[in-house]
């Protein structure tokens, strides 16, 4: 048995209670432990990415109970990509946060580690109920992080965020109940075997459950019409937390890719790819609403929230294609948009703490400290977010456009993606010129809200942008890995055999 | 018995949804609690409704109750209990921030001024 697989869950699960109990009063030690744990996660993630590159699906039976009776962790290429992305994003966000954001409230670091634990668990598990449990772990940690620092606006958005997700959890349980009631299993591989065997009389119940599951993942990934929680949450929380949350919506995207290619894909016969049509419509609406929001936003963080929504729309358009080439494009866009949106939110936080009295309102105001540097970084980040050349957003959108050719209504998809990109460009050009260009020529000077160190935050943002440049420069090898990942995803037989053993897989 | 359980789930779900859509955090929390009760009862029934059957399987052919939904419900109860406690704590915090329990944290005067109940 390969004990490497449990480490991404075990390390944060050990460090978080330690941070909450043993070093709760020593912020320096807490930072050391927190950064150390995240570095370790990044290293392990890289090793696992290398391990998964050989194309075998590794499994880890918890408590050595054989699947489908026990819970299994499964590591394949897709899980490994998500683990590395989580750890790298977590590390850079943490580097930004240890400059003072973590002291605005209590228990930032334990919550951060629990969040990483929940994310890693969700990416590794091969059991639907276990996926629910890890969703709850990451959500409960995110409730705490979301209201970190306090304030009336944040509490108001926090209460609404918790209520939406609690309703989502109830729907998740209902859908699991329906699926278990019909198939008698919640193990994803076993489900892939059982779905084609379901009696015709029961299949309505099964697909009812599967559609409810899609609603739950739609809430997590903020698909229209389930997106209402996202702008309020992202715009009202602190910058580093919003940056970390850019991976939270991707958990929903990951779950959709995993469940609907494995259990409700080609092997499901009558119900094959039933999620595709509805998902495509919702994704297109999400993209449109997001970019219209970017034009209409009244503050920079609101604008970034809607940009995050729009990026989910583009990502879901690619996912909803459900062909190997669209899934590969989706993975590239997923990695790109997570890093780009995170950089955007970190930069906004850097602006907010420097503009006393104005915050992130889109109005001209006297210049603030290091306006030129932040303005320049903002320019580069927005180019990446919108998908203009030469950064990875352009490559990502090109891959998505190329992969959607041949899907039904693809000219419409092309038109939508291109027009919304123009809308986004108008929105960000107007806010950028107001905040940086016009403000730069005004007399006077704004004082920062508090003492602001420049070095580490800019290292964090710069590293995110450097990763985007690397993603552009090495897009050849990266897309080769993603192509192999998509191929592995569509070979569900191989996943089933890895989890359940050769004999069960052949049934 | 099916009729009894089904109507109980339906009644609690509809009451839960109605209360969750109200504008006061207190009733929203009650609504969420009802919704989780309904969910737990529903989950319990996915193992089929049986009476007086052992849930430890000694003979696979003998009649038995399905133990897995019971384990799932137990997990779901623990999680929903914890999260309900958390949202109650946040609602109390919201009460101190706004001096009222409106979900948009409007104070008593604002609520009257905007004509919202």
């Amino acid at each position: 048995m390969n004990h490497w697989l449990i480490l991404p869950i075990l390390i944060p699960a050990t460090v978080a209670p330690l941070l909450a109990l043993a070093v709760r009063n020593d912020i320096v030690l807490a930072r050391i432990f927190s950064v150390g744990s995240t570095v370790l996660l990044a290293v392990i993630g890289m090793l696992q990415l290398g391990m998964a590159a050989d194309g075998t699906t590794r499994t880890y039976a918890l408590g050595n109970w054989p699947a489908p009776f026990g819970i299994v962790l499964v590591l394949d290429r897709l899980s490994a990509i998500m683990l590395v992305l989580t750890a790298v994003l977590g590390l850079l966000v943490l580097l930004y946060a240890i400059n003072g954001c973590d002291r605005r409230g209590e228990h930032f670091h334990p919550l951060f580690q629990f969040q990483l634990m929940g994310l890693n668990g969700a990416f590794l598990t091969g059991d639907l109920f276990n996926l629910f449990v890890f969703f709850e772990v990451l959500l409960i940690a995110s409730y705490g992080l979301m209201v970190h620092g306090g304030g009336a606006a944040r509490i108001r958005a926090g209460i609404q965020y918790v209520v939406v997700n609690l309703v989502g959890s109830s729907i998740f349980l209902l859908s699991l109940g329906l699926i278990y009631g019909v198939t008698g299993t919640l193990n994803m591989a076993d489900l892939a075997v059982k779905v084609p065997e379901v009696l015709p009389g029961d299949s309505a119940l099964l697909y009812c459950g599967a559609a409810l599951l899609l609603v739950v993942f739609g809430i997590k990934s903020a698909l229209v019409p389930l997106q209402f929680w996202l702008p309020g949450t992202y715009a009202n929380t602190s910058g580093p937390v919003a940056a970390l949350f850019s991976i939270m919506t991707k958990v929903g995207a990951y779950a959709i890719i995993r469940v609907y290619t494995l259990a409700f894909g080609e092997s499901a016969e009558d119900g094959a790819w039933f999620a595709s049509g509805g998902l495509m419509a919702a994704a297109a609406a999400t993209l449109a609403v997001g970019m219209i929001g970017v034009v209409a936003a009244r503050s920079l963080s609101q604008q970034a929230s809607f940009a995050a929504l729009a990026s989910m729309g583009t990502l879901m358009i690619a996912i909803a294609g459900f062909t190997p080439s669209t899934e590969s494009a989706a993975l590239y866009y997923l990695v790109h948009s997570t890093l780009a949106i995170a950089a955007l939110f970190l930069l906004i936080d850097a602006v907010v703490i420097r503009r006393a009295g104005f915050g992130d309102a889109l109005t001209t105001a006297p210049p603030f400290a290091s306006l030129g540097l932040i303005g320049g970084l903002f320019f580069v980040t927005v180019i990446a977010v919108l998908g203009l050349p030469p950064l990875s957003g352009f490559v990502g959108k090109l891959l998505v456009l190329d992969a959607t050719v041949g899907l039904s209504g693809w000219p419409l998809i092309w038109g939508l993606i291109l027009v919304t990109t123009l809308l986004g460009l108008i929105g960000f050009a107007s806010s950028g010129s107001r905040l940086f260009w016009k403000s730069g020529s005004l007399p006077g000077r704004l004082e920062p809200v508090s003492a602001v160190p420049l070095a580490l935050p800019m290292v964090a943002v710069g590293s995110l942008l450097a990763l985007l440049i690397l993603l552009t420069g090495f897009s050849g090898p990266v897309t080769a890995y993603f192509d192999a990942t998509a191929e592995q995803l569509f070979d569900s037989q191989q996943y089933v055999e890895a989890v359940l053993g050769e004999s069960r897989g052949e049934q | 018995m099916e009729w009894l359980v089904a109507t109980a789930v339906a009644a609690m779900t509809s009451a839960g949804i109605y209360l969750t859509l109200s504008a006061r955090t207190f009733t929203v929390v009650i609504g969420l609690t009802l919704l989780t009760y309904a969910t737990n009862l529903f989950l319990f029934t996915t193992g089929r409704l049986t009476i007086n059957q052992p849930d430890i399987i000694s003979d696979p052919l003998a009649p038995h109750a399905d133990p897995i939904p019971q384990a799932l419900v137990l997990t779901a109860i623990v999680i929903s209990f914890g999260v309900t406690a958390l949202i109650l704590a946040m609602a109390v915090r919201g009460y101190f921030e706004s001096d009222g329990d409106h979900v948009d944290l409007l104070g008593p005067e604002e609520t009257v001024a905007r004509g919202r109940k």
Side-chain angles (χ1 to χ4, degrees):
Chain A
M1 200 140 71
N2 189 339
H3 289 283
W4 281 96
L5 264 65
I6 187 101
L7 282 182
I9 301 170
L10 215 54
I11 291 172
T14 320
V15 172
L18 199 72
L19 286 169
L21 300 172
V23 294
R24 59 188 305 169
N25 295 322
D26 190 341
I27 190 78
V28 178
L29 260 184
R31 284 171 180 171
I32 292 173
F33 272 102
S34 195
V35 172
S37 147
T38 319
V39 168
L40 213 55
L41 283 179
V43 172
I44 291 171
M46 298 285 184
L47 288 175
Q48 291 183 331
L49 193 71
M51 263 173 18
D54 63 0
T56 51
T57 302
R58 289 171 173 76
T59 59
Y60 181 86
L62 289 168
N64 214 4
W65 293 96
F69 305 108
I71 291 168
V72 282
L73 300 181
V74 183
L75 177 78
D76 60 358
R77 286 196 179 97
L78 178 63
S79 309
I81 292 169
M82 299 308 291
L83 287 179
V84 172
L85 184 64
T86 309
V88 169
L89 179 79
L91 181 62
L92 294 177
V93 169
L94 203 57
L95 280 187
Y96 186 97
I98 58 177
N99 258 290
C101 306
D102 55 347
R103 266 199 287 199
R104 287 181 208 155
E106 279 182 67
H107 303 306
F108 179 86
H109 292 290
L111 288 169
F112 195 91
Q113 293 300 319
F114 274 127
Q115 173 91 63
L116 292 181
M117 173 197 161
L119 287 164
N120 288 342
F123 293 140
L124 277 172
T125 185
D127 184 280
L128 276 179
F129 196 81
N130 200 229
L131 183 69
F132 165 77
V133 173
F134 278 118
F135 264 39
E136 289 304 312
V137 171
L138 74 91
L139 282 174
I140 291 170
S142 80
Y143 303 151
L145 283 175
M146 204 254 129
V147 295
H148 189 260
R154 205 165 280 179
I155 295 283
R156 176 178 59 79
I159 290 174
Q160 292 165 5
Y161 174 63
V162 177
V163 170
V164 168
N165 279 299
L166 267 179
V167 176
S169 301
S170 287
I171 301 176
F172 203 159
L173 283 172
L174 290 175
S175 71
L176 291 184
L178 282 168
I179 292 174
Y180 179 81
V182 175
T183 62
T185 184
L186 287 171
N187 180 295
M188 292 188 210
D190 201 26
L191 195 64
V193 177
K194 297 261 173 71
V195 164
E197 295 169 1
V198 167
L199 300 173
D202 287 339
S203 69
L205 266 183
L206 175 70
Y207 283 99
C208 203
L212 274 181
L213 203 57
L214 194 64
V215 170
V216 178
F217 297 151
I219 293 177
K220 309 290 174 216
S221 47
L223 281 178
V224 171
L226 306 163
Q227 90 291 7
F228 293 100
W229 63 270
L230 187 137
T233 307
Y234 282 36
N236 284 308
T237 188
S238 64
V241 174
L244 181 68
F245 279 13
S246 73
I247 190 122
M248 294 259 296
T249 44
K250 273 65 178 187
V251 181
Y254 162 84
I256 289 177
I257 299 180
R258 173 69 81 204
V259 174
Y260 294 92
T261 56
L262 183 63
F264 300 98
E266 214 58 67
S267 60
E269 290 159 15
D270 290 348
W273 313 120
F274 83 101
S276 179
L279 198 59
M280 184 63 90
T286 310
L287 177 56
V289 168
M291 283 306 190
I292 293 171
V294 166
V295 181
R298 281 176 296 182
S299 76
L300 201 52
S301 45
Q302 221 174 30
Q303 198 167 34
S305 313
F306 279 105
L309 195 63
S311 78
M312 280 317 288
T314 315
L315 175 59
M316 282 297 174
I317 285 178
I319 290 176
F322 285 122
T323 65
S325 61
T326 56
E327 297 315 297
S328 168
L331 285 174
Y332 188 92
Y333 197 78
L334 188 153
V335 173
H336 150 79
S337 67
T338 308
L339 298 173
I341 298 286
L344 189 59
F345 276 113
L346 291 184
L347 272 177
I348 290 170
D349 189 65
V351 171
V352 169
I353 54 175
R354 284 172 175 79
R355 287 179 96 210
F358 291 92
D360 62 347
L362 290 177
T363 48
T364 47
F368 50 87
S370 42
L371 177 125
L373 174 67
I374 294 178
L377 286 173
F378 182 79
F379 182 67
V380 177
T381 311
V382 166
I383 284 179
V385 168
L386 288 175
L388 299 178
L391 285 177
S392 54
F394 178 68
V395 182
K397 278 201 174 163
L398 214 57
L399 285 170
V400 172
L401 290 178
D402 186 46
T404 49
V405 173
L407 298 179
S408 63
W410 69 269
L412 281 177
I413 299 172
W414 274 52
L416 183 72
I417 291 180
L418 295 174
V419 169
T420 51
T421 304
L422 180 67
L423 272 182
L425 186 62
I426 294 170
F428 273 110
S430 107
S431 64
S433 58
R434 258 183 263 175
L435 270 177
F436 301 105
W437 197 262
K438 289 186 190 163
S439 298
S441 54
L442 287 181
R445 192 158 190 82
L446 281 183
E447 291 303 315
V449 178
S450 54
V452 279
L454 189 66
L456 259 187
M458 289 307 127
V459 167
V461 177
S463 310
L464 282 170
L465 293 178
L467 283 174
L468 290 179
I469 294 169
L470 283 179
L471 196 62
T472 321
F474 291 94
S475 49
V478 171
T479 41
Y481 196 96
F482 291 165
D483 282 340
T485 309
E487 206 178 300
Q488 192 179 31
L489 276 174
F490 279 76
D491 185 8
S492 55
Q493 187 65 29
Q494 163 280 130
Y495 184 99
V496 172
E497 278 174 19
V499 174
L500 299 178
E502 301 268 329
S503 55
R504 288 292 306 276
E506 280 164 11
Q507 281 176 5
Chain B
M1 190 157 76
E2 279 82 359
W3 188 85
L4 192 66
V5 174
T7 48
V9 171
M12 282 199 287
T13 310
S14 37
I17 291 173
Y18 178 77
L19 289 176
T20 307
L21 292 175
S22 66
R24 298 283 175 184
T25 46
F26 179 71
T27 40
V28 169
V29 172
I30 302 283
L32 288 173
T33 316
L34 277 176
L35 211 53
T36 50
Y37 288 168
T39 311
N40 292 341
L41 193 58
F42 175 81
L43 261 190
F44 186 71
T45 59
T46 59
R48 307 295 184 268
L49 294 171
T50 50
I51 304 174
N52 294 336
Q53 302 293 347
D55 55 2
I56 295 172
I57 305 166
S58 45
D59 172 14
L61 295 177
H64 57 262
D66 190 346
I68 290 185
Q70 302 178 11
L72 302 186
V73 169
L74 206 58
T75 317
I77 289 174
V78 173
I79 290 177
S80 63
F81 180 73
V83 181
T84 307
L86 184 123
I87 190 164
L88 269 176
M90 285 178 69
V92 169
R93 183 63 188 271
Y95 180 82
F96 287 127
E97 294 279 354
S98 71
D99 206 22
D101 68 343
H102 196 279
V103 284
D104 279 330
L105 300 197
L106 302 176
E109 297 86 18
E110 274 176 301
T111 315
V112 175
R114 295 200 194 176
R116 295 193 191 173
K117 286 182 203 167

